C-alpha cells in the first residue's frame, strides 16, 4: 500500500508539472508562433544532449543509495563528478560560442552554460530523493521547479525579452531549486571515498546508455529536424510530443516508483514478488495512453488547435507519437525491472540497439520524408526496444503475468469512447472550450466502461482511494 500511495502522489505531482509545462508551451506558441517554440525546443535539445554523460550518475546514485539504509558518500560523489563534467563542457561551449549561437539563431551560449550547470545539479538532487525512497518528494520538488519556471518565464516575456526570456526563466528556476535541494539533502553530504566513486562507476558504465536512450526518444528527432526542416515544423512537432508525453505520466510514475522497490527485491533475490509487481506495472502502463491513441484519431487536430490554428497540421504526427509513447511505456516497465534487479549490462545492450536504430532511422527518414519520417523513426525504434526488453525479462525472471484481459478491456473501452465522440463531434462548434469539453466527455465514457468491466482495475482503484 505504501508503494501504491507513493505512485499516486508522484503521479499527481507529474500531472501538475505537465499542466504547468503545457502552459510554457502554450505561451511560446501564442506569443511567438510555431517558429518561436521551435527555437526554444532546439535550445532544450542542445541542453539535454550536452549534459548527457552526467545523466548516468543519476540512476547510479538512486541505485546505490536505495540498496542500504546506511548513510554513504554516494550522493556527494555523484554531485562532485557531475559538476566536474558540467564545468568541462561549459568551457568547451564558451570556446565555440559562435558555432553554438549560429545553430540557435540567438546569442545564447552563456545562457546554455547556466542551463547545463543548473540542470545537472537539479538532476542529482532528484536522484538523491529517489535513492532515499522519497519518490513522491522528488516528484513534487520537480513540480515546484516547473511552477517557478513558468512564473519566471511569463515575467521575462512580458518584460520584453522575447523568446530568450523563456531561457532566462528556466535558468532562474533551476538555480533556486538546485540550491534548495542540496540544503534539504545536506545529511547525505559526506566526504566521498574512492570506493563511493567506484560503486557509481560500476553501475554508470552500463546505465549511461539508458539515459542516452531516453534522450534519443525525447530529443533525437528535434535535433535532426532542426537540421532539415524549418522552425515552424519543429515547434508543431514539439507541441505534439508534449501532448503524447502527458499521456505517458502514469507509466512514468509507476516506473520511477518501481525502481527502488525492484532494487530491494533484487538484492534479496525475491523474483516471485518481482514478477507480481511487474504484472501490476504493465497493467497500468497504458491506462491513459491507449485511449489517448484512439482519441487522437478523431480529435487530434482539434486538440492541437488549442495552441494555434497552424498546429492542427500536426494531427497525424500526434497519432504516431502517441503510438510510440504507448509501445515505449510497456517496454520501459520491463527495462526498469532489469535495472532494478541489477542487470544493467543486459539493459545496456537493449538500449544500444534502440539508440542505433533511432539514430539511423531519424537521419534517413527525416532526410527523405521530413517530420513524418521522424515520427515513424521514433515509433519503429520503440517497437524494437519493447521486443528486446520482453525477451530479456523472460530469460531472467521467467514468465510474467501479463494482464491481457485488462489490456483488452482498455482497448474495448477506448473503442466505445471513440464511438461516443463520433456521435458528439458533429453537434458541437469548433473552439477551445468545446474541445476541452469533448475530451472530458470522452475520458468519462472511457473511465466508466473500464471500471465497469475490469474487476482487477476497479479493485486496485478502490484500494488506492482508501489510502
Amino acid at each position: 500500500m505504501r508503494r501504491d500511495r507513493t505512485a499516486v502522489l508522484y503521479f499527481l505531482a507529474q500531472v501538475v508539472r505537465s499542466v504547468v509545462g503545457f502552459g510554457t508551451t502554450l505561451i511560446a506558441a501564442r506569443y511567438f508562433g510555431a517558429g518561436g517554440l521551435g527555437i526554444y525546443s532546439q535550445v532544450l535539445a542542445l541542453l539535454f544532449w550536452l549534459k548527457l554523460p552526467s545523466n548516468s550518475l543519476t540512476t547510479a546514485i538512486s541505485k546505490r543509495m536505495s540498496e542500504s539504509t546506511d548513510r554513504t558518500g554516494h550522493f556527494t560523489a555523484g554531485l562532485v563528478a557531475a559538476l566536474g563534467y558540467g564545468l568541462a563542457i561549459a568551457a568547451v561551449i564558451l570556446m565555440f560560442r559562435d558555432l553554438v549561437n549560429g545553430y540557435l539563431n540567438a546569442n545564447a551560449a552563456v545562457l546554455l552554460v547556466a542551463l547545463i550547470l543548473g540542470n545537472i545539479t537539479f538532476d542529482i538532487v532528484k536522484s538523491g530523493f529517489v535513492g532515499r525512497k522519497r519518490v513522491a518528494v522528488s516528484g513534487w520538488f520537480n513540480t515546484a521547479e516547473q511552477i517557478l519556471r513558468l512564473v519566471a518565464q511569463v515575467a521575462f516575456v512580458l518584460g520584453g525579452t522575447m523568446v530568450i526570456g523563456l531561457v532566462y526563466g528556466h535558468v532562474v528556476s533551476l538555480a533556486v531549486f538546485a540550491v534548495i535541494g542540496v540544503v534539504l539533502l545536506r545529511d547525505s553530504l559526506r566526504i566521498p571515498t574512492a570506493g563511493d566513486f567506484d560503486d557509481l562507476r560500476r553501475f554508470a558504465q552500463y546505465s549511461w546508455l539508458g539515459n542516452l536512450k531516453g534522450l534519443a526518444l525525447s530529443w533525437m528527432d528535434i535535433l535532426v529536424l532542426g537540421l532539415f526542416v524549418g522552425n515552424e515544423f519543429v515547434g508543431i512537432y514539439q507541441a505534439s510530443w508534449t501532448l503524447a508525453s502527458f499521456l505517458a505520466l502514469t507509466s512514468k510514475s509507476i516506473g520511477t516508483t518501481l525502481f527502488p522497490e525492484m532494487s530491494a527485491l533484487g538484492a534479496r533475490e525475491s523474483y516471485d514478488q518481482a514478477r507480481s509487481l511487474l504484472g501490476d506495472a504493465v497493467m497500468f502502463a497504458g491506462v491513459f495512453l491507449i485511449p489517448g491513441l484512439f482519441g487522437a484519431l478523431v480529435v487530434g487536430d482539434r486538440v492541437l488547435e488549442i495552441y494555434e490554428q497552424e498546429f492542427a497540421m500536426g494531427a497525424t504526427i500526434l497519432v504516431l507519437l502517441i503510438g510510440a509513447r504507448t509501445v515505449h511505456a510497456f517496454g520501459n516497465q520491463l527495462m526498469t525491472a532489469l535495472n532494478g534487479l541489477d542487470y544493467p549490462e543486459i539493459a545496456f545492450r537493449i538500449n544500444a540497439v534502440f539508440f542505433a536504430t533511432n539514430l539511423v532511422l531519424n537521419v534517413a527518414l527525416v532526410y527523405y520524408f521530413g517530420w513524418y519520417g521522424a515520427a515513424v523513426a521514433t515509433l519503429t525504434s520503440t517497437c524494437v526496444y519493447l521486443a528486446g526488453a520482453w525477451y530479456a525479462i523472460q530469460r531472467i525472471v521467467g514468465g510474467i503475468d501479463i494482464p491481457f484481459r485488462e489490456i483488452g478491456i482498455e482497448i474495448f473501452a477506448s473503442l466505445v469512447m471513440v464511438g461516443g465522440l463520433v456521435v458528439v463531434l458533429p453537434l458541437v462548434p469548433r473552439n477551445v472550450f468545446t474541445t476541452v469539453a469533448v475530451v472530458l466527455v470522452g475520458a468519462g465514457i472511457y473511465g466508466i466502461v473500464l471500471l465497469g468491466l475490469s474487476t482487477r482495475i476497479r479493485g486496485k482503484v478502490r484500494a488506492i482511494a482508501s489510502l
Side-chain angles (χ1 to χ4, degrees):
M1 287 302 160
R2 173 184 169 275
R3 182 179 62 249
D4 292 338
R5 182 173 61 250
T6 300
V8 171
L9 289 174
Y10 186 86
F11 169 71
L12 292 175
Q14 294 306 299
V15 169
V16 175
R17 178 175 178 267
S18 293
V19 170
V20 176
F22 172 78
T24 297
T25 307
L26 188 63
I27 288 172
R30 292 281 186 176
Y31 272 83
F32 310 117
L37 177 59
I39 292 173
Y40 180 55
S41 298
Q42 289 176 72
V43 171
L44 295 183
L46 269 184
L47 159 68
F48 289 118
W49 279 105
L50 290 174
K51 78 180 187 70
L52 170 64
S54 69
N55 289 355
S56 58
L57 290 170
T58 61
T59 306
I61 290 170
S62 297
K63 171 64 177 173
R64 297 310 182 201
M65 290 179 70
S66 67
E67 289 176 331
S68 172
T69 57
D70 297 332
R71 293 288 183 266
T72 64
H74 291 124
F75 176 73
T76 309
L79 186 62
V80 169
L83 286 177
Y85 167 77
L87 292 173
I89 199 64
V92 174
I93 291 172
L94 294 177
M95 187 181 304
F96 297 98
R97 69 177 69 188
D98 291 338
L99 289 176
V100 174
N101 290 337
Y103 175 79
L104 296 175
N105 294 316
N107 188 20
V110 175
L111 285 174
L112 183 61
V113 167
L115 267 180
I116 289 173
L117 293 175
N119 203 287
I120 284 176
T121 308
F122 186 69
D123 284 348
I124 297 297
V125 165
K126 289 189 297 180
S127 70
F129 285 123
V130 173
R132 296 278 294 273
K133 296 187 177 182
R134 296 162 65 184
V135 177
V137 174
S138 173
W140 282 104
F141 195 75
N142 210 5
T143 300
E145 184 275 327
Q146 185 84 51
I147 292 173
L148 178 59
R149 184 192 309 177
L150 176 59
V151 172
Q153 286 175 328
V154 170
F156 280 114
V157 169
L158 293 180
T161 54
M162 301 302 292
V163 177
I164 207 68
L166 299 174
V167 184
Y168 287 141
H170 203 150
V171 169
V172 169
S173 64
L174 285 173
V176 169
F177 278 94
V179 173
I180 292 175
V182 171
V183 172
L184 292 177
L185 288 168
R186 60 187 179 277
D187 59 335
S188 295
L189 293 173
R190 279 174 171 47
I191 297 176
T193 65
D196 292 326
F197 285 101
D198 191 57
D199 286 343
L200 295 180
R201 179 197 59 78
R202 284 187 289 108
F203 191 88
Q205 67 183 347
Y206 294 112
S207 67
W208 70 268
L209 198 55
N211 291 290
L212 182 61
K213 182 273 301 180
L215 275 181
L217 177 68
S218 299
W219 296 104
M220 178 71 79
D221 36 16
I222 295 295
L223 197 67
V224 175
L225 283 171
L227 298 174
F228 293 106
V229 303
N231 290 332
E232 294 79 9
F233 290 102
V234 176
I236 295 171
Y237 192 98
Q238 178 61 25
S240 300
W241 180 254
T242 299
L243 291 174
S245 299
F246 179 80
L247 295 170
L249 288 179
T250 301
S251 174
K252 183 178 179 180
S253 301
I254 292 171
T256 304
T257 307
L258 187 68
F259 181 81
E261 300 293 340
M262 279 289 185
S263 179
L265 291 174
R268 301 195 301 267
E269 297 186 355
S270 301
Y271 292 121
D272 288 339
Q273 287 180 266
R275 281 194 293 270
S276 176
L277 183 59
L278 187 54
D280 284 343
V282 171
M283 178 175 66
F284 281 101
V287 72
F288 288 154
L289 281 161
I290 291 174
L293 177 61
F294 283 92
L297 290 170
V298 291
V299 296
D301 56 340
R302 288 182 179 233
V303 172
L304 285 170
E305 282 182 359
I306 291 176
Y307 293 105
E308 280 291 351
Q309 191 170 1
E310 64 179 318
F311 284 79
M313 71 173 69
T316 302
I317 296 294
L318 177 61
V319 172
L320 292 171
L321 292 181
I322 295 176
R325 268 298 195 180
T326 303
V327 175
H328 179 265
F330 290 109
N332 202 47
Q333 301 308 320
L334 305 180
M335 289 290 283
T336 298
L338 284 175
N339 278 310
L341 294 173
D342 209 12
Y343 288 94
E345 69 283 358
I346 297 177
F348 180 91
R349 290 196 290 270
I350 296 170
N351 285 324
V353 173
F354 170 86
F355 177 78
T357 304
N358 188 271
L359 174 60
V360 171
L361 288 179
N362 258 294
V363 174
L365 296 182
V366 170
Y367 179 79
Y368 285 106
F369 304 107
W371 63 344
Y372 292 107
V376 171
T378 301
L379 177 58
T380 304
S381 56
T382 54
C383 289
V384 173
Y385 174 75
L386 173 59
W390 171 261
Y391 176 74
I393 205 71
Q394 289 280 24
R395 287 183 52 201
I396 293 170
V397 302
I400 60 176
D401 180 24
I402 298 296
F404 290 108
R405 182 178 182 276
E406 277 65 35
I407 294 175
I409 291 174
E410 290 171 6
I411 294 174
F412 176 76
S414 300
L415 291 172
V416 174
M417 176 196 72
V418 168
L421 292 179
V422 170
V423 172
V424 170
L425 285 176
L427 305 177
V428 297
R430 196 182 184 101
N431 58 56
V432 172
F433 299 106
T434 57
T435 296
V436 173
V438 165
V439 170
L440 293 176
V441 168
I445 294 173
Y446 170 77
I448 291 170
V449 176
L450 178 66
L451 295 176
L453 294 179
S454 176
T455 55
R456 185 175 175 183
I457 294 178
R458 186 167 64 248
K460 201 71 174 177
V461 171
R462 283 176 177 172
I464 293 172
S466 64
L467 295 176

